Amino acid sequence: MDTPKILITGANGQLGRVLTQSLRAEYGNDAVLASDLNFPDSAENENTIFLDILNTERVKETIKDHKINQIYHMAAILSASGEYNPHKTWNVNFNAVLDLLEIMRECNVGKLFYPSTIAVFGNTTPQSMTPQDVPLLPETVYGISKTTGELWCNYYHNRYGVDVRSLRYPGIISYQSIPSGGTTDYAVEIFHEAIKHNKYTCFLGPDTTLPMMFIDDAIRATIDLMKAPKEKIKTRTSYNLSAMSFTPAQLADEIVNHIPQFEIDYEPDFRQEIANSWSESIDDSRAREEWGWNHQYDITKMTKRMITELKKIYI
Ligand code: SER
């Protein structure tokens, strides 16, 4: 097997940052080239570059110059931000991946990771224990672009043998950064506000159930999927992936166990409608059967870890 030489796009995002650290810890600093449009700490690491994923020629040159054989394409505009500029979102989320698939084919790059999302599901999808193969009728441009991307990944695999692997991430909960632009972001913001101010105003209603996952599980799933033997990856659109599901009210109750004075109130905005169109829980049995996926964090373990980590930052 080739020694990994990895390019990460969107390396300054919520998942990209932690993925960069984890892949560097595993394969060494020199094996991982981190790229983004914006890097506050770029001076600290020479393996960090500015890269606009819409500049196809530059992306191709970078892949050739650095002899890249694995790409983690994490750059994207999320569900809520996407609604402010649908055409730009389509361009960034879809056209960039189509170009990348073509570069993979042309330059014979080893493997591509393509992040998909629960936003591919829509109002016609069964919301409870959503199966792997369901009609997809997403309501957001983010969901439309990710759904189309899944289909093209499957096409490039079947037609040209491009080794592309993908996960439908639930909402990701992490302490390393404050995400922005997503509908599931409340589940991160709530911890910061609970620790800083003992209260939080949630932009989703109390009973909105959404699938969620702690960052450690999400990163492990990503790296395990990329390491799995090719023949085990039978799904080339994207795998359903699941760990826990909860409502804002249930998360608030968990936080109260650590911060008794914590209070929550609710002011649902346009993101409520987006959340209502998504699944409440996900059947990810195919990922568990085919390449051994297993989550480690439930709501209680995740809450304890989030509060412990954020207290180190704030207190
Ligand atoms: N976390 C994403 C969002 O809320 C869903 O994939 O947009």
Side-chain angles (χ1 to χ4, degrees), residues 19-246:
L19 191 59
T20 304
Q21 285 168 1
S22 303
L23 289 169
R24 284 184 174 156
E26 179 139 5
Y27 297 114
N29 213 35
D30 292 346
V32 182
L33 182 64
S35 74
D36 208 306
L37 278 181
N38 171 26
F39 263 116
D41 54 359
S42 58
E44 286 173 22
N45 192 310
E46 60 183 23
N47 278 318
T48 297
I49 57 163
F50 170 91
L51 184 64
D52 178 355
I53 53 161
L54 294 175
N55 186 342
T56 313
E57 282 313 305
R58 184 79 195 97
V59 173
K60 201 193 276 188
E61 272 168 28
T62 304
I63 290 168
K64 283 185 175 166
D65 290 353
H66 292 266
K67 300 187 171 50
I68 297 296
N69 56 22
Q70 289 189 27
I71 301 171
Y72 289 74
H73 178 50
M74 310 310 285
I77 298 176
L78 293 183
S79 59
S81 297
E83 294 307 290
Y84 289 105
N85 197 338
H87 287 254
K88 182 178 171 195
T89 303
W90 172 258
N91 210 15
V92 170
N93 289 2
F94 176 67
N95 286 332
V97 79
L98 186 54
D99 286 347
L100 213 44
L101 285 166
E102 189 53 21
I103 296 171
M104 299 284 296
R105 184 182 74 78
E106 247 182 80
C107 305
N108 212 9
V109 182
K111 291 183 213 173
L112 171 66
F113 178 76
Y114 170 70
S116 190
T117 162
I118 51 169
V120 298
F121 304 127
N123 287 322
T124 56
T125 306
Q127 289 203 321
S128 175
M129 289 304 278
T130 302
Q132 174 70 45
D133 294 318
V134 282
L136 303 175
L137 196 58
E139 296 290 318
T140 59
V141 68
Y142 173 61
I144 293 170
S145 58
K146 286 291 180 180
T147 303
T148 319
E150 283 190 8
L151 297 175
W152 277 92
C153 288
N154 191 48
Y155 179 81
Y156 264 74
H157 173 263
N158 295 345
R159 175 93 199 264
Y160 303 116
V162 170
D163 189 357
V164 53
R165 304 168 180 211
S166 175
L167 298 172
R168 290 174 179 156
Y169 289 124
I172 305 298
I173 302 168
S174 64
Y175 55 87
Q176 293 90 338
S177 61
I178 304 180
S180 66
T183 302
T184 56
D185 294 355
Y186 91 83
V188 179
E189 289 172 11
I190 192 172
F191 285 102
H192 290 262
E193 294 306 307
I195 290 174
K196 286 193 294 187
H197 303 121
N198 295 325
K199 61 180 178 55
Y200 178 62
T201 300
C202 186
F203 57 75
L204 299 181
D207 303 322
T208 314
T209 306
L210 286 172
M212 299 280 181
M213 181 173 286
F214 186 57
I215 186 79
D216 287 14
D217 276 340
I219 298 295
R220 196 167 43 79
T222 309
I223 296 177
D224 283 358
L225 177 73
M226 288 293 269
K227 278 186 185 165
K230 218 174 181 172
E231 59 281 3
K232 291 207 168 181
I233 311 300
K234 300 201 177 84
T235 301
R236 296 292 182 158
T237 47
S238 189
Y239 281 99
N240 278 7
L241 193 72
S242 164
M244 60 184 118
S245 286
F246 54 75

